[in-house]
């Protein structure tokens, strides 16, 4: 009976913790009440907090070995520093005071290793209980953008990706830009894909034709011919600063 009572207590504590985390990350509770409950779990919501989210190839829950490994590593390194580690929807989550970027960076390193090549996104610091939700959503959006745009790198920072939400906020305007700027490439022999890939490589290489050609496995002459073909079809020269901005924005779109 004593063991059953202990087990029941543990389960009740975990249920309370899970309910708090759900309310915190979704902002579903009264902010004043949420701040009071947060102190029980080591968070002072009067301060700014930032959230890091790690996503692996497979879902990770609290009982997963990767979650236990990351938590042990973070606690061993930083101790009790008002940090909350948990999992949500199959992802690892770390909430830390906004000024303690070293905690989030260390969490990102450990989570990347524990998930064997996953990806970690870090939201910007925001004040208050609502700030945790805001930072969490920024991290999730960064993961989504990385997936959609094939952004490389194991660690993404929402602060570095602010331009993408701006570009994608007006979907109709972006669709019009893509159709106007890149639509003519569909007339090319072999379709638009090779030429769009050419533009992508060109912009990723800092508009250095030789480096872009190397990345695509083409000769510089063949690559330059593709750029000329793009200019002929679209009327926009990738090497021209104004045209380059239009083409690159369309490629991102």
């Amino acid at each position: 009976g004593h063991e059953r009572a202990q087990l029941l207590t543990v389960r009740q504590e975990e249920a309370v913790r899970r309910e708090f985390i759900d309310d915190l990350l979704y902002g579903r509770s009264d902010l004043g009440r949420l701040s009071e409950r947060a102190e029980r779990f080591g968070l002072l919501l009067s301060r700014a907090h930032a959230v890091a989210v790690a996503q692996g190839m497979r879902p990770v829950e609290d009982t997963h070995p990767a979650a236990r490994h990351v938590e042990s590593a973070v606690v061993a390194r930083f101790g009790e520093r008002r940090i909350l580690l948990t999992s949500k929807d199959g992802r690892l989550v770390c909430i830390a005071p906004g000024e303690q970027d070293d905690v989030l960076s260390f969490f990102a390193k450990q989570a990347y290793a524990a998930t064997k090549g996953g990806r970690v996104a870090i939201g910007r610091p925001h004040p208050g209980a609502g700030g945790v939700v805001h930072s969490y959503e920024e991290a999730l959006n960064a993961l989504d953008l990385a997936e959609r745009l094939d952004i490389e790198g194991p660690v993404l920072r929402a602060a570095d990706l602010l331009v993408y939400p701006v570009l994608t906020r007006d979907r109709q305007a972006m669709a019009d830009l893509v159709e106007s700027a890149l639509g003519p490439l569909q007339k090319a022999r072999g379709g638009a894909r090779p030429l769009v890939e050419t533009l992508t490589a060109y912009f990723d290489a800092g508009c250095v034709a030789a480096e872009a050609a190397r990345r695509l496995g083409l000769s510089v002459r063949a690559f330059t011919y593709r750029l000329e073909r793009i200019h002929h079809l679209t009327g926009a020269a990738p090497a021209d600063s104004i045209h380059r901005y239009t083409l690159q924005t369309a490629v991102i779109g």
Side-chain angles (χ1 to χ4, degrees), residues 81-134:
R81 212 195 261 195
R82 297 195 177 278
I83 305 166
L84 181 61
L85 294 166
T86 185
S87 66
K88 184 65 180 172
D89 298 330
R91 306 181 184 95
L92 295 176
V93 179
C94 178
I95 304 171
E99 73 276 8
Q100 296 183 10
D101 187 69
D102 55 335
V103 174
L104 298 176
S105 297
F106 184 78
F107 166 81
K109 181 179 179 180
Q110 295 297 318
Y112 175 73
T115 56
K116 298 180 180 179
R119 183 173 274 162
V120 185
I122 302 176
R124 294 178 297 163
H126 296 283
V132 174
V133 179
H134 193 176

Side-chain angles (χ1 to χ4, degrees), residues 64-220:
H64 193 280
R68 293 198 295 269
H69 171 77
V70 172
E71 182 174 13
S72 298
V74 173
V75 171
R77 175 71 176 273
F78 299 102
E80 299 298 330
R81 212 195 261 195
R82 297 195 177 278
I83 305 166
L84 181 61
L85 294 166
T86 185
S87 66
K88 184 65 180 172
D89 298 330
R91 306 181 184 95
L92 295 176
V93 179
C94 178
I95 304 171
E99 73 276 8
Q100 296 183 10
D101 187 69
D102 55 335
V103 174
L104 298 176
S105 297
F106 184 78
F107 166 81
K109 181 179 179 180
Q110 295 297 318
Y112 175 73
T115 56
K116 298 180 180 179
R119 183 173 274 162
V120 185
I122 302 176
R124 294 178 297 163
H126 296 283
V132 174
V133 179
H134 193 176
S135 185
Y136 176 63
E137 291 177 345
E138 285 185 342
L140 292 181
N141 289 337
L143 290 173
D144 179 58
L145 281 171
E147 182 70 22
R148 290 163 56 193
L149 300 178
D150 196 26
I151 299 175
E152 297 181 356
V155 180
L156 308 165
R157 291 186 176 271
D160 298 332
L161 303 176
L162 292 178
V163 66
Y164 295 107
V166 173
L167 294 177
T168 58
R169 187 165 292 135
D170 190 335
R171 298 180 65 87
Q172 185 56 52
M174 180 58 75
D176 291 342
L177 174 63
V178 171
E179 178 62 28
S180 174
L182 303 180
L185 299 182
Q186 297 178 83
K187 300 176 183 178
R189 182 182 301 176
R193 179 181 293 274
L195 297 182
V196 173
E197 291 175 347
T198 298
L199 287 172
T200 300
Y202 184 63
F203 298 136
D204 288 347
C207 298
V208 178
E211 173 60 19
R214 185 190 65 79
R215 296 185 182 189
L216 292 180
L218 298 173
S219 67
V220 176

Side-chain angles (χ1 to χ4, degrees), residues 24-44:
L24 179 65
L25 296 182
Y26 289 142
R28 295 184 301 202
S29 179
D30 174 77
L31 295 183
R33 174 63 179 149
L34 192 62
S35 296
E36 294 177 4
R37 294 162 61 196
E39 293 186 21
R40 177 179 178 182
F41 298 98
L43 297 181
L44 292 177

